[in-house]
Amino acid sequence: MRVFEFMEQQELFKGRDKRKKGWFWLDNEYLNGYAKFFGAIGTAIYVSLCRHANNETQECFPAQDTIAEELGISERTVRFYLSKFQEYKIISIKRVKDIKTQQFMNNVYVLLDR
């Protein structure tokens, strides 16, 4: 068997990768209550925030277009659900300004305890 054929077989029969992979927390309380209220799209957006959140601070700052692209939805839909999450006190939103220009740079989302 030639090396090329062996490499092709390796690609066809990849085993399960048991190395440490990325992970994130998602509250059961959200899934047990809010998921029904916000539906699949709202839940997907919340999951995206959880995925990006720092496990210690619960802060994240993905751009709204990043979330939209990850989920295949519009930025307008992302903004709608972010405002609803803030209204229901699931997240808080902090607007970050550039110190020099005083222009808003990005939002920091904080996942709140319920």
Side-chain angles (χ1 to χ4, degrees), residues 65-114:
D65 64 336
T66 299
I67 296 171
E69 186 177 319
E70 287 175 349
L71 301 174
I73 58 178
S74 71
E75 287 182 54
R76 184 176 180 180
T77 300
V78 172
R79 281 191 300 277
F80 171 80
Y81 281 101
L82 290 174
S83 70
K84 289 295 179 189
F85 295 158
Q86 187 175 28
E87 181 182 331
Y88 284 88
K89 297 184 181 11
I90 296 170
I91 66 170
S92 67
I93 302 174
K94 295 188 260 182
R95 296 187 73 188
V96 178
K97 282 186 177 182
D98 183 291
I99 296 171
K100 293 178 184 176
T101 65
Q102 291 300 306
Q103 291 184 346
F104 287 108
M105 295 187 333
N106 63 297
N107 292 333
V108 174
Y109 307 104
V110 181
L111 305 176
L112 301 175
D113 289 336
R114 292 298 301 154

Side-chain angles (χ1 to χ4, degrees), residues 9-19 21:
Q9 285 184 343
Q10 290 290 328
E11 290 298 313
L12 289 175
F13 302 105
K14 280 191 173 184
R16 183 172 161 217
D17 186 354
K18 293 185 179 181
R19 293 176 290 186
K21 297 178 183 166

